[in-house]
Amino acid sequence: MPEIDITIAGRSFAVACQAGEEHFLRSAAAMLDAEAQPLVAQMGRLPEGRMLLMAGLMLADKTAALEDEMRALKSRLAELEARPAPEPQRIEVPVIPPQVEETLAEIAARAEALAQKLDEKAPAAG
């Protein structure tokens, strides 16, 4: 069983953990240290037990608040998931009727015929 040294508020502790869990222990120690540092800065040197108790209580308070928030979010999620799916919306995509294409082709043909007639008359006039 590995033993690692952690530091909380400037004090070192040797702590044993299961193999492979060293990272989790270091992470937990860093969280506890983050709570203990301001306590020591505000109150000065505290007895070890009191400092650890206060830091632990502060972490527990944060954890309780997060658990309350998580419960509320899970409840809201369950509420949203229980809602029936909204009715599908009908979306109409405009489609050009085939008659419009035919009419445009006819107009283009007439315009070309007129342009050709103008081209034919233009050299005769000059």
Side-chain angles (χ1 to χ4, degrees):
M1 183 175 278
E3 189 171 287
I4 63 170
D5 290 322
I6 60 171
T7 303
I8 309 293
R11 298 176 189 171
S12 293
F13 301 90
V15 182
C17 64
Q18 295 294 323
E21 293 186 356
E22 297 87 350
H23 171 73
F24 298 110
L25 180 57
R26 285 188 182 96
S27 178
M31 290 169 55
L32 189 59
D33 185 47
E35 295 300 323
Q37 290 289 347
L39 283 173
V40 172
Q42 289 174 359
M43 304 169 111
R45 186 137 177 101
L46 293 169
E48 184 178 285
R50 185 160 181 82
M51 181 264 303
L52 291 173
L53 172 66
M54 293 297 293
L57 288 173
M58 290 171 69
L59 273 177
D61 182 55
K62 284 183 179 181
T63 301
L66 289 172
E67 286 176 350
D68 288 346
E69 183 180 358
M70 187 171 63
R71 264 192 298 280
L73 290 172
K74 281 183 177 180
S75 173
R76 178 73 175 133
L77 178 61
E79 177 185 310
L80 291 172
E81 287 177 339
R83 284 185 182 174
E87 290 294 321
Q89 293 181 344
R90 181 183 171 120
I91 299 174
E92 293 188 26
V93 178
V95 176
I96 299 173
Q99 299 88 349
V100 172
E101 285 184 38
E102 292 169 7
T103 303
L104 288 174
E106 190 177 309
I107 292 170
R110 284 183 187 173
E112 286 178 26
L114 286 172
Q116 187 175 359
K117 282 182 184 179
L118 285 173
D119 284 343
E120 289 171 3
K121 288 183 180 182

